[in-house]
Amino acid sequence: MRVTEKMISENYLYNYDKIIARKTKLQTQIANNSKIETLSDDLAGSLESIKVESQRKKTETYLKNVENAKDFMSRSLQSLENMTGEIQKIISAAVSAGDALNAQNYGTIAQTIKNSLNAIVQNVNTQQNDMYLFGGTNFQNPPVTLDINGKAVLSTDDLSGEIITQVSQNVKEAINIPGSKVLGTGLFQSINSIIDSLAAGNEPSQTERTNLENAYKEILNLQSIGGTTINRIDDRNEVLKNQLTNLQELLVREQGVDVPALIVDLQNQDYLLQVSYKLLATAYPKSLFDFL
């Protein structure tokens, strides 16, 4: 069989194109640090990478939800902590009103209690991401307001709703303490009653003080419940972080490349290209200038 110049040139061009394509692929893989560019590169690996990437994105979403949940609950607990400090002041003021020496100071004591009540109302009405911490799922109106006499007026809205967020594929978490649980302690009614007694020139009764102390204990209980929720959220946060790390490592194993090996392969392709140039020069010793 006679080997023609056309056959030689076609074979050369075919091999040349293959070498150039291989070089381009290697350069792209090195630049992107990924061995998979299209499904055809590695069908099984590509499908597995798609699956792992989907799981990674979901885990990132859950992790963000957990972080938002922790921020919301932490802010709620801080508000409750501020409230308990003011309640302690009111309890102390109510007790001091029972001292005969303070019988002429009921007006001052009442104003002190009103100041603490105002601070409590501000904490109950605190917002996070335009949502009232203790508004349940009602984002329109504050849970408590103050009337012209400085006493608390409770919202008639339903504040019992729970704000639920997805923290894993099969787990949801309530991130709020419903306002109904705070208002349901009787805290504001007992404070209003003490203010009324002082305004009428009377010492707060034992019943009024007991009601306030019971409300205080219930607020402390809500703090404890919230603290338990925070602990669960922290545990979930750690689990998700570990999952995310594992998924990222798995993705690297599926898509990652051995850069030193690719560089050696790239150098080999360069060598083959140089050899092909020399072979062509040997097969075609004449250049265009030989015909001028």
Side-chain angles (χ1 to χ4, degrees):
M1 177 179 176
R2 180 173 177 270
V3 179
T4 65
E5 292 183 355
K6 180 180 180 182
M7 293 174 62
I8 295 175
S9 63
E10 287 178 349
N11 185 62
Y12 167 78
L13 291 175
Y14 172 76
N15 290 322
Y16 174 83
D17 289 341
K18 285 184 63 176
I19 293 172
I20 293 298
R22 178 63 179 166
K23 280 190 59 178
T24 301
K25 186 177 186 64
L26 291 170
Q27 290 169 337
T28 301
Q29 289 179 341
I30 292 172
N32 297 334
N33 196 32
S34 175
K35 63 185 177 183
I36 300 175
E37 299 173 51
T38 63
L39 284 174
S40 60
D41 290 337
D42 181 353
L43 181 57
S46 295
L47 294 178
E48 183 63 22
S49 294
I50 291 172
K51 178 182 177 181
V52 174
E53 177 64 15
S54 176
Q55 292 175 336
R56 186 186 67 81
K57 288 182 178 179
K58 286 182 180 179
T59 302
E60 285 183 337
T61 298
Y62 297 145
L63 191 56
K64 184 176 181 180
N65 289 346
V66 165
E67 291 171 350
N68 289 337
K70 183 176 181 179
D71 288 344
F72 198 96
M73 184 58 72
S74 296
R75 188 80 181 275
S76 299
L77 290 180
Q78 183 60 57
S79 291
L80 290 178
E81 179 68 24
N82 295 340
M83 289 167 57
T84 57
E86 296 299 332
I87 296 171
Q88 289 171 357
K89 293 179 183 178
I90 296 175
I91 292 174
S92 178
V95 171
S96 70
D99 189 333
L101 296 177
N102 288 324
Q104 303 302 316
N105 298 323
Y106 285 170
T108 301
I109 294 173
Q111 187 56 53
T112 298
I113 292 175
K114 288 180 181 181
N115 291 340
S116 289
L117 176 58
N118 180 56
I120 292 172
V121 169
Q122 288 180 11
N123 278 282
V124 172
N125 293 340
T126 300
Q127 290 179 289
Q128 175 83 354
N129 297 328
D130 297 324
M131 296 185 292
Y132 288 103
L133 293 176
F134 304 104
T137 52
N138 170 35
F139 309 138
Q140 302 300 317
N141 304 308
V144 187
T145 56
L146 293 174
D147 64 16
I148 58 175
N149 296 314
K151 297 196 301 179
V153 179
L154 308 188
S155 170
T156 58
D157 295 330
D158 181 6
L159 307 178
S160 62
E162 291 186 329
I163 302 173
I164 306 295
T165 189
Q166 194 88 27
V167 295
S168 73
Q169 184 173 353
N170 301 312
V171 179
K172 295 181 179 180
E173 184 73 66
I175 68 172
N176 69 314
I177 298 173
S180 57
K181 292 186 177 181
V182 178
L183 272 58
T185 61
L187 172 65
F188 296 102
Q189 293 89 335
S190 61
I191 296 175
N192 284 345
S193 180
I194 290 173
I195 291 174
D196 286 338
S197 292
L198 292 170
N202 299 319
E203 171 192 344
S205 68
Q206 181 60 49
T207 299
E208 290 171 334
R209 293 199 299 269
T210 299
N211 289 340
L212 179 58
E213 289 169 359
N214 289 338
Y216 173 69
K217 291 176 182 178
E218 290 191 47
I219 295 295
L220 291 178
N221 186 53
L222 289 178
Q223 284 183 271
S224 178
I225 294 173
T228 301
T229 301
I230 284 286
N231 290 336
R232 278 201 311 273
I233 291 174
D234 280 337
D235 291 342
R236 180 63 56 180
N237 188 51
E238 288 302 313
V239 170
L240 289 172
K241 283 183 177 179
N242 290 334
Q243 286 180 354
L244 185 60
T245 298
N246 292 336
L247 288 169
Q248 289 171 335
E249 291 176 351
L250 181 58
L251 199 59
V252 169
R253 287 198 297 270
E254 290 294 336
Q255 296 183 341
V257 295
D258 184 347
V259 175
L262 291 184
I263 292 175
V264 171
D265 195 355
L266 184 60
Q267 291 172 342
N268 289 336
Q269 298 304 314
D270 278 330
Y271 174 75
L272 291 175
L273 193 58
Q274 295 300 321
V275 169
S276 68
Y277 289 153
K278 292 180 179 179
L279 290 175
L280 183 63
T282 302
Y284 293 95
K286 292 182 181 294
S287 70
L288 178 61
F289 296 102
D290 294 321
F291 299 94
L292 296 179

